[in-house]
Amino acid sequence: MSIAVYIILMALVTYLIRMLPFTLMRKQIKSRFLKSFLYYVPYAVLSAMTVPAIFYSTGNYITAAVGTATALILAYLKKPLIVVALCAAATAFLTALFV
């Protein structure tokens, strides 16, 4: 198949995934369980995508763990996101130099 067919197919699938909830669920959701479930879905999906990427990004679990620990500590101390990201990356890099 040609590349154009692949692109059209991907666009169609992406559009359907985004369009279907709007067309199928026109009424407001009243179930407390379903509302709470849907509230936490973005956090769960983000975690499921991010955590494996963290530990496979450096190729060494020690550097990834040290960088993650740094990020968690700085995030707990409510530092800005750019500070957390830069310090975690720098810590992982420096750890890789010594490991």
Side-chain angles (χ1 to χ4, degrees):
M1 289 208 274
S2 71
I3 293 177
V5 173
Y6 287 129
I7 292 173
I8 291 169
L9 188 62
M10 286 189 307
L12 182 65
V13 169
T14 303
Y15 179 73
L16 284 175
I17 290 172
R18 294 171 188 224
M19 186 232 3
L20 281 177
F22 288 119
T23 58
L24 297 177
M25 297 181 171
R26 293 181 183 235
K27 296 179 183 177
Q28 184 176 4
I29 299 171
K30 295 189 190 318
S31 168
R32 286 181 62 200
F33 173 76
L34 191 56
K35 277 186 177 182
S36 66
F37 174 78
L38 292 174
Y39 178 79
Y40 289 109
V41 165
Y43 301 111
V45 170
L46 181 64
S47 299
M49 291 185 333
T50 305
V51 171
I54 289 170
F55 287 102
Y56 289 117
S57 63
T58 62
N60 186 344
Y61 291 121
I62 295 171
T63 59
V66 171
T68 302
T70 302
L72 290 174
I73 291 168
L74 291 175
Y76 180 76
L77 296 174
K78 298 186 179 185
K79 299 298 179 190
L81 180 60
I82 189 72
V83 172
V84 172
L86 290 175
C87 288
T91 305
F93 178 72
L94 291 173
T95 305
L97 291 177
F98 296 112
V99 172

